[in-house]
Amino acid sequence: MLESTKRGIVPSARSDVPPFMVMDVMAAAARLEAAGIHVVHMEVGQPAAPAPATALAAARAALGGPLAYTEALGIPSLRARIARHYGERHGVDLDPARVIVTTGSSAGFMLAFLTLFAPGDRVAIANPGYPPYRHILTALGCEPVLIETTAATRWALTGEALIAAHRERPLAGVLVASPANPTGTMITGEALAALIAAAEDAGIRFISDEIYHGLDYAFPAATAAQVSARAVIINSFSKYFCMTGWRIGWMVAPESLVRPIERLQQNFAISVPTLSQIAAEAAFAGRAEMEAIKHGYEDNRRILVEGLPKAGLDKFLPADGAFYLYADVSRFTADSQDFAQRMLAEAHVAATSGIDFDPLHGRSFIRFCYAGSRADAEAAVERIGRWLGGR
Ligand SMILES: Cc1ncc(COP(=O)(O)O)c(C=O)c1O
């Protein structure tokens, strides 16, 4: 064998992104379960329930026919249905031509970043935040700029903080999520409008990750579409509609970006999986079923918000939406990764360390996902109480 062949292919520097640590917790939980131990799973951010029955029925029916490529921007009737959703939920008259169907919101980020930014561009994101924002930006040669959020602003990114960072060195864009992952916090409609106005006045492009819309408990989530036709909105069927594995989402883009995004999608993917598009359109008819599931999350949220302080975890961010509770564990540890590992090994409750989400203060936090059953939420509170009580 040639010496050069033995050495293998050296991966590019831009592919050198960090792993998602939650996967390590999942693997450790699986090892305990293989040994016959019952684990309460609160580590992975996904619903336990399946897609709405309407979506499943539509998918079953579609399996009988050909599943051909679709238009790159998505099946027209699905794009029209998504546009209608903005009228129904938010009173916004949205042109279906601005709706683009994507392979989950994850593909939406890539398409948005590629059409909005050039290599070297600086893009602001809130810290803590969803790790792939940073990692996709880095892989595309952009620079993620972390802006700290604190209790003083209800953990929301503000126009003042954004403009202060822009003055230091110009920003090309900003990405905001409400409800957010990992914090579960939300930004009010007024605060969102003020932030978008500040960004647009300064020429900073605005991306709104609205993937947890529909899962709002504290107050109704506002969409950037109510405020601006220039913002790029990213959304998904993964969370509210319980369709993570179907890999389907959507974007709402300003008119001038639709054709560039279409060209990228044609080349990257041709089109989004047809079966998932058909199921997604039918999912809108399953809202009553999804509302019942949302009520289950609300119950779980109440059980944790009331129960965790009694169990010893009395410091956490306002659990406004999504299905996350972000707890400060600095009273117990300086290393939340170690805390999560011990909580799993000793109390058999799996949660995620904040270090995935916050390179600065993540060692003080852990994230609980309460998208499971009521029994899971109750068992978590009971087990954590016993564990912390016995330390
Ligand atoms: C804030 C946020 N945005 C986007 C995603 C990606 O979701 P998907 O690609 O399934 O739409 C997730 C997944 O957990 C998330 O938490």
Side-chain angles (χ1 to χ4, degrees):
M1 197 188 283
L2 285 175
E3 211 31 56
S4 58
T5 313
K6 272 198 250 157
R7 279 201 302 272
I9 305 285
V10 179
S12 71
R14 67 178 176 174
S15 67
D16 185 18
V17 296
F20 208 175
M21 312 280 192
V22 62
M23 300 299 183
D24 294 345
V25 183
M26 285 166 70
R31 283 195 294 276
L32 285 178
E33 283 172 325
I37 291 168
H38 175 262
V39 173
V40 175
H41 286 278
M42 300 192 111
E43 75 277 36
V44 185
Q46 66 175 340
T54 50
L56 297 175
R60 272 191 209 101
L63 281 173
L67 288 168
Y69 295 135
T70 72
E71 292 176 26
L73 293 174
I75 296 175
S77 58
L78 171 58
R79 296 172 68 201
R81 183 64 192 88
I82 292 168
R84 183 147 68 84
H85 165 76
Y86 283 84
E88 291 166 357
R89 292 293 286 185
H90 302 290
V92 175
D93 184 14
L94 184 68
D95 182 354
R98 292 182 50 210
V99 176
I100 299 139
V101 180
T102 58
T103 310
S105 66
S106 302
F109 296 128
M110 274 194 311
L111 293 166
F113 296 163
L114 280 164
T115 41
L116 290 173
F117 308 127
D121 275 355
R122 287 160 45 82
V123 180
I125 47 182
N127 190 58
Y130 179 58
Y133 300 150
R134 283 181 267 136
H135 303 158
I136 300 172
L137 283 166
T138 310
L140 294 177
C142 300
E143 185 189 335
V145 178
L146 304 191
I147 299 185
E148 286 290 300
T149 58
T150 63
T153 60
R154 264 193 108 270
W155 305 94
L157 203 59
T158 61
E160 294 75 48
L162 182 73
I163 299 308
H166 185 56
R167 283 210 191 95
E168 263 173 43
R169 263 178 64 207
L171 294 165
V174 56
L175 187 161
V176 170
S178 170
N181 178 11
T183 56
T185 54
M186 286 172 59
I187 185 168
T188 63
E190 298 77 55
L192 179 69
L195 183 56
I196 293 178
E200 291 188 344
D201 282 352
I204 301 169
R205 285 145 176 207
F206 196 89
I207 304 173
S208 183
D209 180 358
E210 301 184 355
I211 182 171
Y212 291 103
H213 271 211
L215 302 177
D216 40 6
Y217 319 112
F219 47 85
T223 171
Q226 283 166 313
V227 182
S228 167
R230 296 167 60 82
V232 173
I233 294 160
I234 306 225
N235 208 321
S236 176
F237 290 88
S238 287
K239 309 290 172 159
Y240 177 78
F241 287 108
C242 301
M243 294 178 69
T244 46
W246 295 75
R247 307 309 304 127
I248 179 140
W250 74 87
M251 302 169 75
V252 178
E255 237 173 76
S256 58
L257 294 190
V258 173
R259 180 62 182 150
I261 292 173
E262 182 179 23
R263 289 194 305 258
L264 285 171
Q265 182 122 287
Q266 286 168 343
N267 283 280
F268 281 171
I270 302 186
S271 60
V272 171
T274 308
L275 191 64
S276 299
Q277 294 195 58
I278 292 167
E281 188 173 339
F284 282 105
R287 290 194 72 97
E289 190 186 339
M290 296 297 106
E291 282 299 301
I293 290 171
K294 174 183 175 176
H295 292 318
Y297 301 152
E298 276 185 283
D299 280 345
N300 294 346
R301 168 183 179 258
R302 188 182 40 73
I303 291 164
L304 294 186
V305 166
E306 289 173 7
L308 284 179
K310 292 178 199 148
L313 291 181
D314 53 0
K315 257 178 99 182
F316 43 82
L317 275 51
D320 294 333
F323 30 56
Y324 302 117
L325 184 143
Y326 202 52
D328 183 336
V329 291
S330 57
R331 187 150 72 83
F332 302 98
T333 184
D335 180 356
S336 58
Q337 175 86 335
D338 174 66
F339 184 86
Q341 275 163 0
R342 280 188 293 116
M343 191 170 75
L344 174 59
E346 296 164 18
H348 305 150
V349 177
T352 310
S353 156
I355 59 170
D356 264 343
F357 307 97
D358 180 347
L360 306 172
H361 314 294
R363 290 195 177 279
S364 297
F365 290 89
I366 57 170
R367 186 196 74 175
F368 293 97
C369 171
Y370 54 83
S373 67
R374 184 191 175 98
D376 279 350
E378 286 170 343
V381 165
E382 194 266 323
R383 290 181 187 191
I384 292 169
R386 229 178 328 124
W387 180 58
L388 288 178
R391 279 154 57 102

